[in-house]
Amino acid sequence: MNNSGADVHLKRAGEDTASRVLLLKDGQAWMCKVTNAQEIQVRRVDESNTQVTLHAEAE
């Protein structure tokens, strides 16, 4: 869930293809299955150095 106040880009670690980058707007949620949190990279769309926090739940 992105309730950070900023839009972010999500991608799998090591993925370089621009078409594989997901735009997660503020207020949107996205479900994915990962075995390690290091598999996902997050970056602010505006590329500001201000940190954002995303919220996650594990099952």
Side-chain angles (χ1 to χ4, degrees):
M1 173 71 180
N2 180 10
N3 57 358
S4 66
D7 295 345
V8 297
H9 281 143
L10 298 175
K11 69 176 188 171
R12 289 198 180 271
E15 182 66 58
D16 293 326
T17 306
S19 64
R20 303 280 304 205
V21 175
L22 174 72
L23 171 62
L24 188 64
K25 294 185 176 187
D26 184 42
Q28 287 184 322
W30 179 64
M31 182 182 294
C32 66
K33 182 177 179 178
V34 295
T35 55
N36 188 324
Q38 293 178 349
E39 294 178 23
I40 301 293
Q41 296 176 339
V42 179
R43 177 176 91 173
R44 290 175 63 115
V45 172
D46 63 11
E47 297 185 15
S48 167
N49 288 335
T50 304
Q51 292 183 355
V52 295
T53 301
L54 305 181
H55 297 271
E57 292 183 15
E59 290 187 13

